[in-house]
Amino acid sequence: MKWIKQIALIILIAVTVVSCKHSKLLKNPDLDTKYNAAIAYYNEKDYSRALQLFDQMMGAIRATDKAEDLYYYYSYCYFHQRDYTLASYYFKRYYTSYPNTSRAEECLFMSAYSNFMSSPAYSLDQTSTNEAIKELQLFMNIYPKSKRVPECNDLIDKMRAKLEMKDYKIAKLYYRMKDFAAAIVTFHGILEEYPETIHREEILFLVIKSYAKYAELSVKEKQYERFSNTTIAFQDFYREFPASKFAGEASELNAKSQEVLQKMVDKNKDVVEKESKRVRLKKDGL
């Protein structure tokens, strides 16, 4: 136990010495001393202390030849500390301040990549995801021959998959809540925005079910149109997936809809014939 206490004491002394040294650096007015210490901290991956020194120098060093390097390391300090919002901001600021330097391409990419890293789970707000997609597309427009273009496309695909999943879950939630009108609109939106979605077969089937259930709950004046949409949705589905595992249930919904439509046509036909007969009798004075 004695040796454990000795080691703990040595560690405490070392931490105290380092803290004192850092405190002196923070109070040191010499910019070169602070700058060199900040770079040393950065190389040692002590990003927190490096950032404290960079913060102090930011205003004073802006007009010197060290400003470019400072912005570069400053941005990476935030990135390595996983503060991706600020990292993105400062990488972008580096690019706009030094667009013709050898690091400009890297920093524009890192600005977009930082937004990618801050992109949350699909169930949360996707503002940073959309921003990352926009920034990656901007990067590829500016640097179309960059070796980073394939990576940009891969990152965009991952984020689009996340956005697609969010819409897919929302559409299914509408369906479970029996808000069939909203479900139909959202399902169609997914098919339009993500035509290659892995959920395409299921979505086309759920569009049929949504139209059928929507028609059943509708007032009579709207049922003909909505049952008709059910049969149209079935045709779209069957054209692409005739051997689908959903084909049986989809066919039943289509057959039921066609039966209802035929009854409505027959009923309306009787009404029309009766009305025509009444008009003829009235005309003949009978």
Side-chain angles (χ1 to χ4, degrees), residues 35 61-75 94 97-104 107:
Y35 180 81
I61 212 169
R62 189 173 297 164
T64 71
D65 58 358
K66 292 184 174 65
E68 180 191 334
D69 285 343
L70 187 148
Y71 269 116
Y72 179 79
Y73 292 117
Y74 192 69
S75 303
Y94 177 98
S97 299
Y98 310 101
N100 299 316
T101 64
S102 59
R103 294 168 174 167
C107 286

Side-chain angles (χ1 to χ4, degrees), residues 171-228:
K172 293 194 75 172
L173 178 61
Y174 283 139
Y175 179 84
R176 289 195 300 272
M177 294 173 62
K178 298 184 179 181
D179 188 348
F180 300 116
I184 291 166
V185 170
T186 309
F187 280 135
H188 278 305
I190 296 170
L191 295 174
E192 183 176 346
E193 183 70 20
Y194 312 102
E196 302 300 322
T197 173
I198 60 173
H199 304 291
R200 185 174 183 85
E201 179 182 349
E202 181 190 9
I203 289 173
L204 284 169
F205 170 64
L206 288 174
V207 169
I208 300 171
K209 291 189 75 172
S210 297
Y211 269 126
K213 292 179 179 293
Y214 189 32
E216 290 173 0
L217 297 174
S218 299
V219 295
K220 290 184 178 180
E221 290 78 9
K222 297 288 186 179
Q223 284 187 326
Y224 186 88
E225 176 188 356
R226 289 165 187 171
F227 276 117
S228 296

Side-chain angles (χ1 to χ4, degrees), residues 204-205 207-213 215-216 224 226-239 246-263:
L204 284 169
F205 170 64
V207 169
I208 300 171
K209 291 189 75 172
S210 297
Y211 269 126
K213 292 179 179 293
E216 290 173 0
Y224 186 88
R226 289 165 187 171
F227 276 117
S228 296
N229 286 334
T230 304
T231 63
I232 293 171
F234 172 78
Q235 292 167 10
D236 292 339
F237 166 80
Y238 194 75
R239 190 181 302 115
F246 304 116
E249 187 177 353
S251 296
E252 290 178 7
L253 291 168
N254 181 57
K256 182 179 178 180
S257 296
Q258 287 183 330
E259 182 181 346
V260 173
L261 287 169
Q262 188 60 52
K263 287 181 180 179

